[in-house]
Short mmCIF file of all heavy atoms in Angstrom, two decimals:
data_model
loop_
_atom_site.label_atom_id
_atom_site.label_comp_id
_atom_site.label_asym_id
_atom_site.label_seq_id
_atom_site.Cartn_x
_atom_site.Cartn_y
_atom_site.Cartn_z
N PHE F 47 0.37 -9.56 2.77
CA PHE F 47 1.60 -8.83 2.48
C PHE F 47 1.38 -7.38 2.90
O PHE F 47 0.43 -6.73 2.45
CB PHE F 47 1.92 -8.86 0.99
CG PHE F 47 2.26 -10.22 0.47
CD1 PHE F 47 1.27 -11.08 0.03
CD2 PHE F 47 3.58 -10.65 0.44
CE1 PHE F 47 1.58 -12.34 -0.44
CE2 PHE F 47 3.90 -11.91 -0.04
CZ PHE F 47 2.90 -12.76 -0.47
N LEU F 48 2.24 -6.88 3.76
CA LEU F 48 2.25 -5.47 4.10
C LEU F 48 3.45 -4.88 3.36
O LEU F 48 4.59 -5.31 3.57
CB LEU F 48 2.38 -5.26 5.60
CG LEU F 48 2.38 -3.80 6.06
CD1 LEU F 48 1.07 -3.10 5.65
CD2 LEU F 48 2.58 -3.71 7.56
N ILE F 49 3.18 -3.95 2.48
CA ILE F 49 4.21 -3.38 1.63
C ILE F 49 4.43 -1.94 2.08
O ILE F 49 3.50 -1.14 2.14
CB ILE F 49 3.80 -3.47 0.15
CG1 ILE F 49 3.55 -4.94 -0.21
CG2 ILE F 49 4.84 -2.84 -0.75
CD1 ILE F 49 2.77 -5.15 -1.46
N ILE F 50 5.67 -1.65 2.43
CA ILE F 50 6.00 -0.37 3.03
C ILE F 50 7.08 0.32 2.20
O ILE F 50 8.09 -0.31 1.86
CB ILE F 50 6.52 -0.57 4.47
CG1 ILE F 50 5.49 -1.37 5.30
CG2 ILE F 50 6.84 0.76 5.13
CD1 ILE F 50 6.04 -1.85 6.62
N ASP F 51 6.87 1.59 1.90
CA ASP F 51 7.93 2.37 1.28
C ASP F 51 9.09 2.40 2.26
O ASP F 51 8.91 2.55 3.46
CB ASP F 51 7.42 3.79 1.00
CG ASP F 51 8.48 4.68 0.42
OD1 ASP F 51 8.70 4.61 -0.80
OD2 ASP F 51 9.12 5.40 1.20
N SER F 52 10.29 2.23 1.78
CA SER F 52 11.44 2.08 2.66
C SER F 52 11.69 3.28 3.57
O SER F 52 12.35 3.16 4.60
CB SER F 52 12.70 1.78 1.84
OG SER F 52 12.98 2.87 1.00
N PHE F 53 11.16 4.42 3.22
CA PHE F 53 11.29 5.60 4.07
C PHE F 53 9.98 5.87 4.81
O PHE F 53 9.76 6.94 5.33
CB PHE F 53 11.71 6.82 3.25
CG PHE F 53 13.11 6.68 2.73
CD1 PHE F 53 13.32 6.16 1.47
CD2 PHE F 53 14.19 7.05 3.51
CE1 PHE F 53 14.62 6.02 0.99
CE2 PHE F 53 15.48 6.91 3.03
CZ PHE F 53 15.69 6.39 1.77
N PHE F 54 9.10 4.86 4.82
CA PHE F 54 7.79 4.90 5.46
C PHE F 54 6.97 6.11 5.04
O PHE F 54 6.34 6.80 5.82
CB PHE F 54 7.88 4.82 6.98
CG PHE F 54 6.59 4.37 7.58
CD1 PHE F 54 6.18 3.05 7.44
CD2 PHE F 54 5.76 5.25 8.25
CE1 PHE F 54 4.97 2.62 7.96
CE2 PHE F 54 4.54 4.84 8.79
CZ PHE F 54 4.16 3.52 8.65
N CYS F 55 6.99 6.36 3.74
CA CYS F 55 6.14 7.40 3.17
C CYS F 55 4.76 6.85 2.86
O CYS F 55 3.82 7.60 2.68
CB CYS F 55 6.74 7.94 1.88
SG CYS F 55 8.31 8.76 2.14
N GLY F 56 4.66 5.51 2.78
CA GLY F 56 3.38 4.92 2.44
C GLY F 56 3.35 3.43 2.67
O GLY F 56 4.39 2.79 2.82
N THR F 57 2.13 2.90 2.71
CA THR F 57 1.92 1.46 2.89
C THR F 57 0.71 1.02 2.06
O THR F 57 -0.15 1.82 1.70
CB THR F 57 1.63 1.09 4.36
OG1 THR F 57 0.42 1.73 4.77
CG2 THR F 57 2.76 1.51 5.27
N VAL F 58 0.66 -0.28 1.81
CA VAL F 58 -0.52 -0.90 1.23
C VAL F 58 -0.56 -2.34 1.72
O VAL F 58 0.48 -2.94 2.01
CB VAL F 58 -0.52 -0.84 -0.33
CG1 VAL F 58 0.58 -1.71 -0.92
CG2 VAL F 58 -1.88 -1.20 -0.90
N GLU F 59 -1.75 -2.89 1.84
CA GLU F 59 -1.91 -4.27 2.29
C GLU F 59 -2.56 -5.10 1.19
O GLU F 59 -3.52 -4.65 0.55
CB GLU F 59 -2.80 -4.30 3.53
CG GLU F 59 -2.96 -5.67 4.12
CD GLU F 59 -3.79 -5.63 5.40
OE1 GLU F 59 -3.41 -4.92 6.34
OE2 GLU F 59 -4.83 -6.32 5.43
N LEU F 60 -2.03 -6.28 0.95
CA LEU F 60 -2.57 -7.22 -0.03
C LEU F 60 -2.89 -8.52 0.69
O LEU F 60 -2.09 -8.99 1.49
CB LEU F 60 -1.55 -7.50 -1.14
CG LEU F 60 -1.88 -8.68 -2.05
CD1 LEU F 60 -3.02 -8.33 -3.00
CD2 LEU F 60 -0.66 -9.14 -2.81
N ARG F 61 -4.03 -9.09 0.38
CA ARG F 61 -4.39 -10.41 0.92
C ARG F 61 -4.80 -11.33 -0.23
O ARG F 61 -5.63 -10.98 -1.05
CB ARG F 61 -5.55 -10.30 1.91
CG ARG F 61 -5.18 -9.53 3.15
CD ARG F 61 -6.34 -9.41 4.09
NE ARG F 61 -5.97 -8.57 5.21
CZ ARG F 61 -6.33 -8.81 6.45
NH1 ARG F 61 -7.08 -9.86 6.73
NH2 ARG F 61 -5.96 -8.00 7.41
N ASN F 62 -4.15 -12.50 -0.27
CA ASN F 62 -4.51 -13.55 -1.21
C ASN F 62 -5.33 -14.59 -0.43
O ASN F 62 -4.78 -15.28 0.42
CB ASN F 62 -3.25 -14.23 -1.76
CG ASN F 62 -2.50 -13.36 -2.72
OD1 ASN F 62 -3.07 -12.80 -3.64
ND2 ASN F 62 -1.20 -13.25 -2.52
N TYR F 63 -6.60 -14.67 -0.70
CA TYR F 63 -7.46 -15.60 0.02
C TYR F 63 -7.47 -16.96 -0.67
O TYR F 63 -7.29 -17.07 -1.88
CB TYR F 63 -8.88 -15.05 0.13
CG TYR F 63 -8.98 -13.93 1.13
CD1 TYR F 63 -8.88 -12.60 0.73
CD2 TYR F 63 -9.15 -14.20 2.48
CE1 TYR F 63 -8.96 -11.57 1.65
CE2 TYR F 63 -9.22 -13.18 3.41
CZ TYR F 63 -9.12 -11.87 2.99
OH TYR F 63 -9.18 -10.86 3.89
N SER F 64 -7.75 -17.99 0.14
CA SER F 64 -7.74 -19.36 -0.38
C SER F 64 -8.89 -19.61 -1.36
O SER F 64 -8.87 -20.61 -2.07
CB SER F 64 -7.78 -20.37 0.77
OG SER F 64 -8.90 -20.13 1.59
N ASP F 65 -9.88 -18.73 -1.40
CA ASP F 65 -10.97 -18.91 -2.36
C ASP F 65 -10.69 -18.18 -3.68
O ASP F 65 -11.60 -17.79 -4.39
CB ASP F 65 -12.31 -18.47 -1.75
CG ASP F 65 -12.33 -17.00 -1.34
OD1 ASP F 65 -11.30 -16.32 -1.49
OD2 ASP F 65 -13.38 -16.53 -0.89
N HIS F 66 -9.41 -18.00 -3.98
CA HIS F 66 -8.95 -17.46 -5.26
C HIS F 66 -9.32 -15.99 -5.48
O HIS F 66 -9.67 -15.59 -6.59
CB HIS F 66 -9.46 -18.31 -6.43
CG HIS F 66 -9.06 -19.74 -6.31
ND1 HIS F 66 -7.78 -20.18 -6.57
CD2 HIS F 66 -9.75 -20.82 -5.89
CE1 HIS F 66 -7.72 -21.48 -6.35
NE2 HIS F 66 -8.88 -21.89 -5.93
N GLU F 67 -9.20 -15.21 -4.42
CA GLU F 67 -9.42 -13.77 -4.53
C GLU F 67 -8.23 -13.03 -3.94
O GLU F 67 -7.65 -13.45 -2.95
CB GLU F 67 -10.68 -13.33 -3.78
CG GLU F 67 -11.95 -13.75 -4.45
CD GLU F 67 -13.17 -13.11 -3.79
OE1 GLU F 67 -13.14 -12.81 -2.59
OE2 GLU F 67 -14.15 -12.93 -4.51
N ALA F 68 -7.88 -11.92 -4.57
CA ALA F 68 -6.84 -11.03 -4.07
C ALA F 68 -7.48 -9.68 -3.76
O ALA F 68 -8.23 -9.15 -4.58
CB ALA F 68 -5.72 -10.86 -5.09
N TRP F 69 -7.18 -9.17 -2.57
CA TRP F 69 -7.76 -7.91 -2.12
C TRP F 69 -6.67 -6.94 -1.68
O TRP F 69 -5.74 -7.32 -0.98
CB TRP F 69 -8.69 -8.14 -0.93
CG TRP F 69 -10.00 -8.75 -1.34
CD1 TRP F 69 -10.24 -10.08 -1.55
CD2 TRP F 69 -11.21 -8.07 -1.59
NE1 TRP F 69 -11.54 -10.25 -1.93
CE2 TRP F 69 -12.17 -9.04 -1.95
CE3 TRP F 69 -11.59 -6.74 -1.55
CZ2 TRP F 69 -13.48 -8.71 -2.27
CZ3 TRP F 69 -12.90 -6.41 -1.86
CH2 TRP F 69 -13.83 -7.38 -2.22
N ILE F 70 -6.82 -5.69 -2.06
CA ILE F 70 -5.95 -4.61 -1.61
C ILE F 70 -6.76 -3.72 -0.68
O ILE F 70 -7.92 -3.41 -0.96
CB ILE F 70 -5.41 -3.79 -2.79
CG1 ILE F 70 -4.34 -4.59 -3.54
CG2 ILE F 70 -4.87 -2.45 -2.34
CD1 ILE F 70 -3.79 -3.90 -4.76
N SER F 71 -6.12 -3.30 0.41
CA SER F 71 -6.75 -2.34 1.31
C SER F 71 -5.67 -1.51 1.98
O SER F 71 -4.49 -1.84 1.93
CB SER F 71 -7.60 -3.04 2.37
OG SER F 71 -6.78 -3.84 3.20
N GLY F 72 -6.08 -0.44 2.60
CA GLY F 72 -5.18 0.36 3.41
C GLY F 72 -4.07 1.08 2.67
O GLY F 72 -3.01 1.29 3.23
N LEU F 73 -4.30 1.47 1.42
CA LEU F 73 -3.28 2.26 0.73
C LEU F 73 -3.16 3.61 1.43
O LEU F 73 -4.15 4.31 1.65
CB LEU F 73 -3.67 2.47 -0.74
CG LEU F 73 -2.73 3.36 -1.55
CD1 LEU F 73 -1.35 2.73 -1.68
CD2 LEU F 73 -3.32 3.62 -2.93
N TYR F 74 -1.94 3.95 1.79
CA TYR F 74 -1.69 5.23 2.47
C TYR F 74 -0.36 5.79 2.00
O TYR F 74 0.64 5.08 1.95
CB TYR F 74 -1.65 5.04 3.99
CG TYR F 74 -1.20 6.29 4.71
CD1 TYR F 74 -2.07 7.36 4.90
CD2 TYR F 74 0.11 6.43 5.13
CE1 TYR F 74 -1.65 8.53 5.51
CE2 TYR F 74 0.55 7.60 5.75
CZ TYR F 74 -0.34 8.64 5.95
OH TYR F 74 0.09 9.79 6.54
N VAL F 75 -0.36 7.07 1.67
CA VAL F 75 0.88 7.79 1.37
C VAL F 75 0.84 9.07 2.20
O VAL F 75 -0.16 9.80 2.20
CB VAL F 75 1.02 8.13 -0.13
CG1 VAL F 75 2.24 8.99 -0.38
CG2 VAL F 75 1.09 6.85 -0.95
N ASP F 76 1.92 9.33 2.92
CA ASP F 76 2.04 10.53 3.73
C ASP F 76 1.72 11.76 2.89
O ASP F 76 2.15 11.87 1.74
CB ASP F 76 3.47 10.61 4.28
CG ASP F 76 3.69 11.83 5.12
OD1 ASP F 76 3.27 11.80 6.29
OD2 ASP F 76 4.27 12.79 4.60
N GLU F 77 0.97 12.68 3.46
CA GLU F 77 0.50 13.84 2.70
C GLU F 77 1.64 14.62 2.05
O GLU F 77 1.53 15.06 0.90
CB GLU F 77 -0.28 14.77 3.64
CG GLU F 77 -0.95 15.92 2.94
CD GLU F 77 -1.84 16.74 3.85
OE1 GLU F 77 -2.21 16.27 4.93
OE2 GLU F 77 -2.14 17.88 3.46
N TYR F 78 2.75 14.76 2.72
CA TYR F 78 3.90 15.50 2.18
C TYR F 78 4.49 14.82 0.94
O TYR F 78 5.05 15.48 0.08
CB TYR F 78 4.98 15.62 3.27
CG TYR F 78 6.22 16.32 2.82
CD1 TYR F 78 6.26 17.71 2.67
CD2 TYR F 78 7.37 15.59 2.51
CE1 TYR F 78 7.41 18.35 2.25
CE2 TYR F 78 8.52 16.24 2.08
CZ TYR F 78 8.54 17.61 1.95
OH TYR F 78 9.67 18.24 1.53
N ASN F 79 4.34 13.50 0.85
CA ASN F 79 4.95 12.74 -0.24
C ASN F 79 3.98 12.36 -1.36
O ASN F 79 4.33 11.59 -2.24
CB ASN F 79 5.60 11.49 0.33
CG ASN F 79 6.80 11.84 1.17
OD1 ASN F 79 7.81 12.30 0.66
ND2 ASN F 79 6.68 11.65 2.48
N ARG F 80 2.79 12.86 -1.33
CA ARG F 80 1.81 12.53 -2.37
C ARG F 80 2.17 13.21 -3.69
O ARG F 80 2.91 14.18 -3.74
CB ARG F 80 0.40 12.95 -1.92
CG ARG F 80 -0.07 12.09 -0.76
CD ARG F 80 -1.44 12.46 -0.30
NE ARG F 80 -1.73 11.67 0.91
CZ ARG F 80 -2.65 11.99 1.78
NH1 ARG F 80 -3.41 13.04 1.59
NH2 ARG F 80 -2.83 11.23 2.84
N LYS F 81 1.64 12.63 -4.75
CA LYS F 81 1.85 13.13 -6.12
C LYS F 81 3.29 12.98 -6.58
O LYS F 81 3.79 13.76 -7.39
CB LYS F 81 1.36 14.57 -6.26
CG LYS F 81 -0.12 14.70 -5.96
CD LYS F 81 -0.69 15.97 -6.42
CE LYS F 81 -2.16 15.97 -6.06
NZ LYS F 81 -2.95 16.86 -6.81
N HIS F 82 3.96 11.94 -6.06
CA HIS F 82 5.33 11.63 -6.48
C HIS F 82 5.42 10.19 -7.00
O HIS F 82 6.52 9.68 -7.16
CB HIS F 82 6.31 11.82 -5.32
CG HIS F 82 6.42 13.23 -4.85
ND1 HIS F 82 7.07 14.22 -5.57
CD2 HIS F 82 5.94 13.83 -3.74
CE1 HIS F 82 6.98 15.36 -4.91
NE2 HIS F 82 6.31 15.15 -3.81
N GLY F 83 4.29 9.54 -7.20
CA GLY F 83 4.29 8.19 -7.74
C GLY F 83 4.47 7.08 -6.73
O GLY F 83 4.57 5.91 -7.11
N ILE F 84 4.48 7.41 -5.44
CA ILE F 84 4.69 6.38 -4.42
C ILE F 84 3.53 5.39 -4.38
O ILE F 84 3.74 4.18 -4.27
CB ILE F 84 4.94 7.03 -3.04
CG1 ILE F 84 6.26 7.81 -3.08
CG2 ILE F 84 4.96 5.99 -1.93
CD1 ILE F 84 6.51 8.70 -1.89
N ALA F 85 2.31 5.87 -4.48
CA ALA F 85 1.15 4.97 -4.47
C ALA F 85 1.21 4.00 -5.64
O ALA F 85 0.93 2.80 -5.48
CB ALA F 85 -0.15 5.77 -4.52
N THR F 86 1.61 4.46 -6.79
CA THR F 86 1.74 3.59 -7.96
C THR F 86 2.80 2.53 -7.73
O THR F 86 2.61 1.35 -8.06
CB THR F 86 2.05 4.42 -9.21
OG1 THR F 86 0.97 5.35 -9.42
CG2 THR F 86 2.21 3.54 -10.43
N VAL F 87 3.93 2.92 -7.14
CA VAL F 87 5.00 1.95 -6.84
C VAL F 87 4.49 0.89 -5.86
O VAL F 87 4.71 -0.31 -6.05
CB VAL F 87 6.24 2.67 -6.27
CG1 VAL F 87 7.24 1.68 -5.69
CG2 VAL F 87 6.90 3.51 -7.35
N LEU F 88 3.77 1.32 -4.83
CA LEU F 88 3.24 0.38 -3.84
C LEU F 88 2.25 -0.59 -4.47
O LEU F 88 2.28 -1.79 -4.21
CB LEU F 88 2.59 1.14 -2.68
CG LEU F 88 3.55 1.92 -1.77
CD1 LEU F 88 2.76 2.84 -0.85
CD2 LEU F 88 4.43 0.99 -0.97
#
């Protein structure tokens, strides 16, 4: 799952593996939009 803020202020990637593990990587929030709760929403 690639999850993108609708105004492309940030993204995060989630992978559900078949061996029963979930991994998050690549959390990114544009520097101008940080500290506004976007990372938490993602």
Side-chain angles (χ1 to χ4, degrees):
F47 294 88
L48 181 60
I49 301 163
I50 305 168
D51 177 82
S52 63
F53 292 93
F54 201 71
C55 296
T57 63
V58 68
E59 183 177 302
L60 167 74
R61 294 179 185 220
N62 288 310
Y63 286 94
S64 56
D65 61 358
H66 303 284
E67 288 189 332
W69 285 83
I70 286 178
S71 64
L73 176 65
Y74 171 78
V75 175
D76 179 80
E77 187 174 343
Y78 178 77
N79 291 292
R80 292 180 186 160
K81 300 195 180 201
H82 295 287
I84 294 170
T86 300
V87 168
L88 291 169

